[in-house]
């Protein structure tokens, strides 16, 4: 009963107040409610904004030991989306850049190798890396560690017609299936031995239409990550590189 009387008294007092005094009264007695409402509205707005503006990642690629120009980077990413009639405002080509893998301690980018390796391994484990664009050293590293799919099998399974178009671009490399590297490192008397397999693991794309005028002096390779869940999109990307002039 007392609470009812108190509420009635507060309502009457509020009714009698005018202008700034009424606002001050409301603020003094209801500021915690206002604050809670503002927080709820902010969270709701943030969630809705993220929902409606979040882009769908169509494909994930990485430049490793390769640094294309800004214009070429845009052509290799947004250009692909446009070729697929995908709106860049709603879709994204996720691109890892600034990654370097080298065993040459004199290389100015050697200090980035460890961080790059960790980032790449995490991306592969999370299935957020589909394509690697790389130089020879990175190609060797990816091949030896078994990260790359058999390019010949990949093309035959996803698009036999595309396989015929890419025959001359196929490049073999070696994967290490098992070795005694740890034993050899611990005991200098143990000779290093390894069981390996060789098969096509990449396409040399240096002279494909999109890259032929880019000024690369060393070969550039494209490999498909073995556990990619986006095989169809990866095959379309290879087709895009081979048919780029038709987009002009």
């Amino acid at each position: 009963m007392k609470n009812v009387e108190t509420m009635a008294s507060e309502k009457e007092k509020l009714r009698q107040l005018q202008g700034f005094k009424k606002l001050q009264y409301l603020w003094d007695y209801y500021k915690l409610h206002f604050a809670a409402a503002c927080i709820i509205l902010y969270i709701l707005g943030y969630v809705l904004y993220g929902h409606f503006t979040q882009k769908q990642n169509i494909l994930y690629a990485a430049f490793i030991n390769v640094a294309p120009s800004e214009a070429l980077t845009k052509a290799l990413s947004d250009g692909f989306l446009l070729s697929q009639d995908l709106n860049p405002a709603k879709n994204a080509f996720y691109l890892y850049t600034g990654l370097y893998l080298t065993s040459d301690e004199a290389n100015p980018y050697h200090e980035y190798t460890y961080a790059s390796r960790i980032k790449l391994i995490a991306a592969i484990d999370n299935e957020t890396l589909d394509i690697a664009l790389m130089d020879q050293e990175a190609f060797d590293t990816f091949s030896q560690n078994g990260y790359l799919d058999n390019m010949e099998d990949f093309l035959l399974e996803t698009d036999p017609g595309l396989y015929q178009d890419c025959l001359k671009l196929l490049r073999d490399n070696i994967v290490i299936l098992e070795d005694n590297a740890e034993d050899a490192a611990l005991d200098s008397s143990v000779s290093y031995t390894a069981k390996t397999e060789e098969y096509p693991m990449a396409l040399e794309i240096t002279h494909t239409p999109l890259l032929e005028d880019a000024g690369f002096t060393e070969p550039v390779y494209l490999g498909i990550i073995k556990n990619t869940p986006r095989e169809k999109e990866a095959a379309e990307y290879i087709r895009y590189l081979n048919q780029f002039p038709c987009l002009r």
Side-chain angles (χ1 to χ4, degrees):
M1 185 67 179
K2 190 173 182 180
N3 287 338
V4 174
E5 291 177 352
T6 301
M7 290 177 64
S9 175
E10 293 295 336
K11 287 182 178 180
E12 178 62 24
K13 184 176 181 180
L14 178 61
R15 187 181 65 80
Q16 294 176 359
L17 294 174
Q18 301 295 327
F20 178 76
K21 289 184 177 180
K22 179 177 285 190
L23 293 176
Q24 184 65 47
Y25 178 86
L26 289 171
W27 174 251
D28 290 341
Y29 283 91
Y30 297 102
K31 56 187 174 183
L32 292 179
H33 299 79
F34 288 151
C38 287
I39 292 173
I40 292 172
L41 287 173
Y42 173 79
I43 294 174
L44 181 61
Y46 181 82
V47 171
L48 290 174
Y49 177 81
H51 175 74
F52 288 109
T53 61
Q54 184 177 12
K55 295 183 179 182
Q56 179 182 355
N57 290 321
I58 302 300
L59 206 59
Y60 296 82
F63 290 155
I64 308 154
N65 296 357
V66 174
S69 66
E70 183 177 346
L72 180 57
T73 299
K74 190 172 182 63
L76 288 167
S77 52
D78 287 349
F80 171 67
L81 295 179
L82 294 173
S83 76
Q84 302 295 301
D85 295 324
L86 296 170
N87 186 351
K90 297 182 179 180
N91 301 279
F93 184 100
Y94 195 92
L95 191 56
Y96 299 92
T97 59
L99 300 174
Y100 298 94
L101 297 176
T102 177
S103 58
D104 181 6
E105 295 184 3
N107 189 307
Y109 297 108
H110 182 266
E111 62 181 292
Y112 301 109
T113 293
Y114 179 76
S116 297
R117 191 183 299 276
I118 295 299
K119 189 172 184 177
L120 287 166
I121 291 174
I124 292 171
D125 287 344
N126 293 329
E127 295 186 351
T128 53
L129 182 57
D130 308 303
I131 292 174
L133 300 163
M134 52 203 163
D135 72 349
Q136 184 67 55
E137 185 171 13
F139 179 31
D140 293 340
T141 300
F142 266 61
S143 299
Q144 291 168 12
N145 284 279
Y147 296 150
L148 300 178
D149 202 355
N150 183 316
M151 183 62 77
E152 188 172 43
D153 291 346
F154 172 82
L155 292 173
L156 285 171
E157 291 173 6
T158 57
D159 192 333
L162 184 58
Y163 167 73
Q164 294 297 325
D165 294 339
C166 295
L167 270 175
K168 294 181 179 180
L169 304 179
L170 290 169
R171 296 294 181 268
D172 290 357
N173 214 321
I174 296 172
V175 58
I176 299 175
L177 302 177
E178 58 181 72
D179 65 11
N180 65 338
E182 292 186 5
D183 294 337
L186 294 173
D187 187 347
S188 58
S189 65
V190 175
S191 299
Y192 174 77
T193 58
K195 179 181 178 181
T196 63
E197 186 176 351
E198 185 174 358
Y199 51 83
M201 297 188 192
L203 302 175
E204 185 183 341
I205 60 172
T206 322
H207 301 293
T208 53
L210 186 55
L211 275 73
E212 62 182 352
D213 297 324
F216 289 110
T217 57
E218 300 293 335
V220 178
Y221 301 94
L222 181 151
I224 304 296
I225 304 304
K226 186 176 291 186
N227 67 341
T228 174
R230 288 165 283 273
E231 294 182 346
K232 180 181 176 182
E233 291 82 358
E236 286 297 331
Y237 190 71
I238 293 173
R239 183 179 298 281
Y240 166 67
L241 294 183
N242 280 329
Q243 298 181 347
F244 182 71
C246 71
L247 302 174
R248 295 176 180 173

